[in-house]
Every structure is written in C-alpha cells, then in structure tokens.
Amino acid sequence: MRRFEGAACRAATRQPIKAAGREGEARGIAIGTDEHTEQVKTKGLRAWSLRKLFVLLLVGLYALSLAIFVVFDVQTQREQTEGALLEEARVFSHEMDAVWQFMDNSQNIINRDAEGNYEFKGLYCSLVGKSVGRLFSAQTDYTIRYTNFDPRNVRDTPDAFEEEALTSFNDTPAREYYGIADFEGEEAYRYVGALRVQESCLECHGEPVGELDPTGHAKEGWTTDSVGGAVSVVIPVDRHMADLQDNVLRDVAFFTLQAALIALVAGAAMQFLVFRPLDRMGQGFKAMRAGDPGVKVSDEGCAREMAQHIDQFNAMADELQHSMTTLEDEVARRTHELTTAKRHLELQRDMLERTARQLSQEVRYKSDLLSMVNHELRTPLTSIITMAQVSLDMHEPATERERRAWESVQKNGTVLLGIVNDMLDIAKQEAGAMVVQCEPVDIAEVLCSVRKRMQHLAASCAVTLTVEVEPDVPLVEGDYEKLQRMAENLASNAVKFTPDGGSVRLEARCEPGMGDVLVQVRDTGIGIAGEDQARIFERFVQVDGTSTRKFTGSGLGLALVRGYADAQGFEVGVESELGEGSVFTIRIPADRIVR
Ligand code: ADP
C-alpha cells in the first residue's frame, strides 16, 4: 500500500505506469494507446490544463476590469478637474466683476477736483477693468479680458467661443458659458461670464443712441438687464491634464498591484487547496492502474470538499482491493475446480478410449460372428432344406413317420434360415450397410409372389390366404426384394397368429384424396392389445402369446419391416383389437408413384 503526499511520489510511480499500459495493450484491455490518448488530449477543453485556464481567466479578468477602471477613472478625474477649473474661472470672473463694480461705485469720488467740482479723470470702469485684466494676463499664463458683440475697441472683438457664449446669453437666461475649447491653437479651459447692464451703465451706454458719452464714444442705447458684454477667462489645461494623467497612472499602478496580490493569494490558495489534492488523487489513480488497488491518498491540509472526494477515493480503493482479493480467491477456487474437472475428464477420456477399444474389438468380433453365421450356418442350412425337399420330392419316404420327419426338417430348417437371414439384415441395418434399390415395382406381382411362397404355410395352418389388388394401383418406386420381404414377414405373422379356420388377406389400393398407395395385410387372428402396438416394432419384442403361437419367433420380423420401410421412405403402422384380428399397413407416398 502506498501513500501519496507530494511530488516525490509522482516520480516514484511514473515507470510502472508505462509498463502497465503496455501490459494492458498486450492483454487487449482498452487502457488506451498513445495515439488515442493524444487525440483525447487535444480535444476541446482537455487541451488546457487547469492551471493554464486559471491563469488565462485571471489575466482576462484583470484586463477587462483594468479597462473599465481606466475609463471610469479618466472620466471621474476629468470631471473633477473641470469642476475645479470652473470654480477657479468663476473666482476670476467675480474678482473682475468686483473691480468693475468698485470703479463704477467710485466714479463720483474719482471725477471731483480738490474743490469738489466734477472733473472727468478718464478712469472709468471699463477702462480700469480691461487694464487690470491685461495686466493680470501679462503676468500669468491666464488670459482675462472683456468682450462684446459690438466692441468700442477692436481688441475686444469676440472669438468663436466667445461669440457662442454671447449668443447664448442673448438667447437664453444663461449667465455663464464654459468648457474645454481651442484658444490660439491650444486646448484651454474657457469660461465666459455675462455682464448685465445696470442703471449706472446707462450714463455711457444708454439712450439716446449715438449721443456722445463722457469718454467721447457714441452711446449704444442699451437698457438695464440687457447683455452689455462678458468677462472671458482662459485657463491653460496642459498642467491639469498632466496631473490627470499622473493620477490615472498612479491609480492603474495601485490597481495592478492589488490585482497581482489577489492573483498571487488566489493562485497559492488554488495550488494548496485544489491542485495539490488533485495531483495526489491523480497519482493515486495512476498507482491503481499500475496494479496497486489498495493505494491511499492523504487528505492532510485539504478543505472539506476535497477531503470528502479523497475519502471517497480511499473508500473506492478499499472496495477495489477487497474485490480483487475476493476475485483472486474466486479465481484460485475456480482454477482448482477446473484442474479437478480436467483430471476427471482425463480419467473419463482414458475410460472412453478403453471402451472404444473394447467396442471396436467387439464390433470386430460381431463382424467375424456375422461372417461366420453367414457362411457357417446359411450354407449348411440351405443344403439341409434342399436335401429335405429333394428327399420328399424325389424319393418317396418309406413310412409315414419318415415323411413327417423330412417335412419337419424342411419346416424347421426354413424357420431357422429365416431367423439367420433376419439377423444378418438387422446387422446390416445397424452398420448402415443396407443397400436399397430404386426401381419400378408392381405391387400386385409382389403380393402374388408372397402368396405363392406362403401358400404352403397357410395350408398347413388351415388359414385361407388371398390377394386382392385394386385395378388402379400403379407401379411404385422401391426395392422389389425389400418390399417382398416386408410383405412376407407381415403375411407370415398374420398366418402364425391366426387360429385354424381364419383368413389372411393381402390387399393393395390407392387412398382416396391423398393418393398414397396402401399395402395391407389383414387377418382375423388374435389381435394385439393397444399398449403393445407401438413396441412390437422394436427388436426382440414379442407380445406374450405363447398359448396361441403356432411357431416360435425371434422378435425381429417387424423391426426389419420398419427398417426396410424407413430405408425406402415408406411408413408402417398397425390397427388391431384383441380377438378381432389385425391390419398392418405399408403406406407408400404418392410422390413414389411411377408416372
Ligand atoms: P416374431 O418372430 O415373434 O413373429 P415379430 O417381430 O415378427 O417377431 O413380431 C413381434 C410380435 O408381434 C410377435 O411376437 C407377436 O406377439 C406380435 N404380432 C405380430 N404380428 C401379429 C399379428 N398379425 N397378430 C397378432 N400378433 C402379432
């Protein structure tokens, strides 16, 4: 069990992980090829590490908020500067107004001689005001002057900004007009304050229009409260703008410092609280892949959420280790079972091989036996039967007893030969060596030949044997000899199990509708119980009827009939009732009819 707490663990687990990847590939486990991993790595967000994303996000956020901050700061600083400039300009304007007022109020004192007689000295308000303005302008970088739409002195002619201000004063009740505007090719703060005509102004500027005032100028004909002119104050803004720029730069520097500090703290917190636990968990997963399912990850110094994830990971690792241990036990158990089963199978295989050897030996014995039976029994039996027949036919037996003896030899020999033939045919069927001919067969001919061969037996049993073939029965495709054996076996059974005086009928007809050809052997014998009807076609099955048997049998006759029928594609069946007789039917399908 390993415990992951830092970078040292990363280095320690790197090598085994690569080895595990190769091993996994070799086993066909989808651990992932380098190519596949590369493809996955370059897809979408996966192409970005969390750290990179975090840094990009912070930088983006910083850039956006800095831009907003700069716009806002410049705007605020500008408004503040313009506010301060306005106040400054107002102060100048009010001061110039005060000078004007002072001179206006002092005219009566100024224009008196020592005796108190009126003597115009030429120090009238506009002259003094304008002179003070010019003096002030000459000594500072401010410009203060008086202006008018129709000035008495060409120097007081308004420029474009002042014209706009005067127009606004004439058209609206506004008393001041200001803003940043051009002055003699440079940007400056401009302020224009309206001068309204007062009662005292009328002496020089009132009615009648054109009359010369004390200064020798023609009166303008103004009335009180009309706009008599304006004080124009021009304050250079380059210094203020430089201050504004300095302020903004200082604010930006402070903002950047603050953002950097925040980013530093946030980054450190992320590294400590998020990346470090994630790295530990990553190392844990790698170790797990490398084959250490019980790996433990330390949650030391982790915040609650991360600690919970690490706890889940550790719990999963525990379960995995438990499952693997269980699995290993299970695999060991199953392996043991398989080994035992294999040993068992090997024993069985040995046994089967022994049995197969025995069987093949037995098959050989059987084959030898059949050849022996075929050769050693059939040949002498045929000779004995022929001999008995010859003795009966050619040489008249001397006594009745001798004749019956020869007849008995012939009859029992024939039965024995039948049994031997049946056994040989059954053996052939078993070995799959039965050869079936496919030739046109005349059913009527088959049945007649059977009657001929059975006639003697039937007569000796006092049973009437007849053949009844309907004229429309066609030729069928089959094996003549096999069909004859089938009919002969059925007929011989019918004769054997029919008491004296009974009858056996060999019939053939076409089934109406289906068109199948039915060959039937019908007797009036002892019949077969329902429960025995299916099993009489099995080998060596004989229904217990010893009391009614005229001949012994082998129990192979009907099995052979069924075997011959199957080999030719025919069907065999029986309908019977105890004491009422039986009907054995060979059904030859319509498609076997020769067209
Ligand atoms: P077996 O050599 O005994 O005749 P089979 O296979 O030919 O052997 O017949 C099986 C048994 O079916 C017979 O032993 C007999 O009990 C019954 N069996 C067959 N044919 C008839 C029949 N026509 N009437 C009554 N029983 C029959």
Side-chain angles (χ1 to χ4, degrees):
M1 185 185 296
R2 275 184 265 170
R3 207 172 166 82
F4 287 96
E5 293 186 350
C9 302
R10 282 199 288 279
T13 52
R14 194 164 295 141
Q15 197 52 40
I17 291 162
K18 283 186 180 172
R22 281 197 295 274
E23 196 183 315
E25 283 162 26
R27 290 201 305 264
I29 299 168
I31 287 176
T33 59
D34 287 350
E35 200 180 322
H36 173 72
T37 316
E38 209 47 53
Q39 275 174 7
V40 171
K41 270 185 187 170
T42 51
K43 262 189 192 167
L45 258 187
R46 293 189 66 117
W48 299 81
S49 75
L50 203 56
R51 283 184 180 85
K52 208 191 246 180
L53 277 175
F54 181 63
V55 168
L56 273 178
L57 205 70
L58 279 184
V59 169
L61 205 63
Y62 166 73
L64 185 70
S65 33
L66 181 67
I68 294 170
F69 175 76
V70 168
V71 169
F72 178 74
D73 197 33
V74 167
Q75 183 70 21
T76 311
Q77 296 271 348
R78 204 179 174 93
E79 278 173 10
Q80 280 175 2
T81 306
E82 283 184 20
L85 286 167
L86 178 61
E87 284 311 310
E88 203 177 334
R90 271 181 184 150
V91 170
F92 285 129
S93 171
H94 288 150
E95 277 177 356
M96 294 310 295
D97 211 25
V99 170
W100 191 290
Q101 283 296 327
F102 175 76
M103 289 310 296
D104 191 23
N105 294 340
S106 306
Q107 284 300 303
N108 203 22
I109 303 165
I110 293 167
N111 294 328
R112 296 283 167 190
D113 60 12
E115 282 80 35
N117 300 317
Y118 181 80
E119 185 188 9
F120 184 66
K121 301 278 178 37
L123 276 177
Y124 52 93
C125 38
S126 89
L127 177 77
V128 173
K130 287 175 185 175
S131 301
V132 170
R134 268 197 296 278
L135 279 171
F136 184 77
S137 303
Q139 287 166 18
T140 64
D141 52 357
Y142 291 72
T143 303
I144 299 177
R145 68 192 197 112
Y146 290 87
T147 184
N148 195 325
F149 265 135
D150 185 19
R152 290 181 175 179
N153 192 326
V154 74
R155 278 186 310 202
D156 299 332
T157 308
D159 65 6
F161 186 81
E162 288 160 345
E163 265 184 28
E164 280 172 27
L166 287 167
T167 310
S168 138
F169 298 153
N170 279 329
D171 296 349
T172 65
R175 299 192 65 83
E176 49 187 10
Y177 191 84
Y178 51 82
I180 304 269
D182 179 72
F183 181 70
E184 293 176 352
E186 281 185 24
E187 203 176 42
Y189 188 79
R190 307 285 308 265
Y191 176 88
V192 182
L195 286 174
R196 299 272 165 188
V197 176
Q198 295 175 6
E199 198 64 44
S200 57
C201 303
L202 296 179
E203 188 187 345
C204 296
H205 300 284
E207 302 283 351
V209 179
E211 187 187 67
L212 293 179
D213 68 359
T215 64
H217 290 95
K219 289 186 182 179
E220 287 89 350
W222 293 344
T223 53
T224 46
D225 252 10
S226 62
V227 178
V231 181
S232 174
V233 181
V234 179
I235 305 173
V237 293
D238 46 353
R239 188 167 41 82
H240 290 90
M241 285 303 155
D243 288 348
L244 185 146
Q245 212 169 350
D246 288 349
N247 284 346
V248 171
L249 279 175
R250 195 189 56 235
D251 289 349
V252 166
F254 179 74
F255 181 87
T256 306
L257 191 70
Q258 200 180 23
L261 267 174
I262 292 172
L264 212 64
V265 172
M270 284 283 282
Q271 172 61 31
F272 188 76
L273 296 171
V274 179
F275 295 130
R276 193 180 56 133
L278 279 180
D279 281 346
R280 280 187 206 163
M281 279 173 72
Q283 292 306 317
F285 280 119
K286 280 183 184 173
M288 221 176 238
R289 273 186 63 192
D292 182 5
V295 61
K296 280 278 175 288
V297 174
S298 161
D299 63 355
E300 197 185 309
C302 292
R304 190 176 60 222
E305 291 81 355
M306 275 296 169
Q308 279 172 350
H309 286 307
I310 289 175
D311 288 350
Q312 294 284 342
F313 175 88
N314 288 338
M316 184 189 77
D318 280 347
E319 279 172 24
L320 198 64
Q321 191 174 34
H322 175 72
S323 305
M324 280 194 73
T325 314
T326 317
L327 202 67
E328 276 167 14
D329 290 350
E330 181 69 6
V331 167
R333 197 174 62 77
R334 288 283 165 90
T335 309
H336 177 72
E337 278 177 12
L338 277 174
T339 315
T340 315
K342 190 181 160 209
R343 217 172 304 133
H344 192 65
L345 275 174
E346 279 170 0
L347 283 174
Q348 281 187 336
R349 189 195 60 201
D350 292 347
M351 230 163 69
L352 278 173
E353 277 174 4
R354 264 202 310 280
T355 314
R357 272 198 301 276
Q358 278 172 4
L359 270 175
S360 87
Q361 207 170 13
E362 277 168 21
V363 166
R364 214 171 48 249
Y365 289 156
K366 195 170 150 189
S367 165
D368 292 349
L369 181 75
L370 284 175
S371 326
M372 191 271 284
V373 167
N374 192 20
H375 188 260
E376 304 297 332
L377 280 182
R378 271 178 74 176
T379 314
L381 265 175
T382 312
S383 305
I384 290 167
I385 293 164
T386 313
M387 188 84 145
Q389 189 64 46
V390 167
S391 298
L392 282 171
D393 291 347
M394 310 274 292
H395 316 285
E396 191 62 34
T399 60
E400 180 62 20
R401 199 167 159 224
E402 191 185 340
R403 192 181 61 81
R404 275 209 298 274
W406 280 118
E407 278 177 358
S408 176
V409 167
Q410 189 199 25
K411 191 171 125 192
N412 289 326
T414 307
V415 169
L416 200 56
L417 185 63
I419 290 172
V420 169
N421 283 338
D422 287 353
M423 279 174 66
L424 286 171
D425 271 4
I426 287 283
K428 271 189 196 166
Q429 274 179 17
E430 246 183 32
M434 184 183 288
V435 181
V436 177
Q437 303 295 329
C438 187
E439 56 199 342
V441 180
D442 182 354
I443 305 283
E445 191 185 323
V446 170
L447 295 185
C448 288
S449 112
V450 169
R451 184 187 56 184
K452 200 170 164 194
R453 292 161 75 112
M454 287 288 126
Q455 195 62 58
H456 185 70
L457 181 70
S460 65
C461 296
V463 171
T464 318
L465 179 63
T466 54
V467 173
E468 197 175 311
V469 178
E470 290 193 1
D472 59 347
V473 173
L475 294 180
V476 295
E477 277 177 359
D479 187 317
Y480 181 91
E481 201 185 316
K482 303 279 183 303
L483 254 172
Q484 193 181 43
R485 288 285 303 276
M486 289 165 79
E488 200 173 301
N489 280 4
L490 294 176
S492 114
N493 276 348
V495 171
K496 283 193 287 181
F497 296 105
T498 299
D500 292 359
S503 68
V504 172
R505 220 164 60 222
L506 310 180
E507 299 175 355
R509 63 187 168 85
C510 282
E511 188 181 47
M514 298 276 285
D516 294 347
V517 176
L518 305 180
V519 179
Q520 293 181 312
V521 177
R522 192 183 294 271
D523 65 51
T524 56
I526 59 172
I528 306 159
E531 66 271 19
D532 296 325
Q533 286 173 16
R535 65 189 193 95
I536 53 172
F537 289 96
E538 290 166 22
R539 285 176 204 159
F540 304 110
V541 171
Q542 293 177 309
V543 180
D544 189 13
T546 35
S547 57
T548 48
R549 265 179 192 270
K550 297 173 185 172
F551 296 91
T552 52
S554 62
L556 290 173
L558 289 180
L560 267 172
V561 169
R562 170 154 287 174
Y564 292 145
D566 289 346
Q568 294 177 89
F570 303 161
E571 281 175 27
V572 189
V574 63
E575 289 169 60
S576 182
E577 241 180 86
L578 270 180
E580 296 294 324
S582 311
V583 181
F584 283 83
T585 304
I586 302 168
R587 177 182 288 273
I588 301 168
D591 60 3
R592 307 298 298 275
I593 291 171
V594 178
R595 307 280 173 192

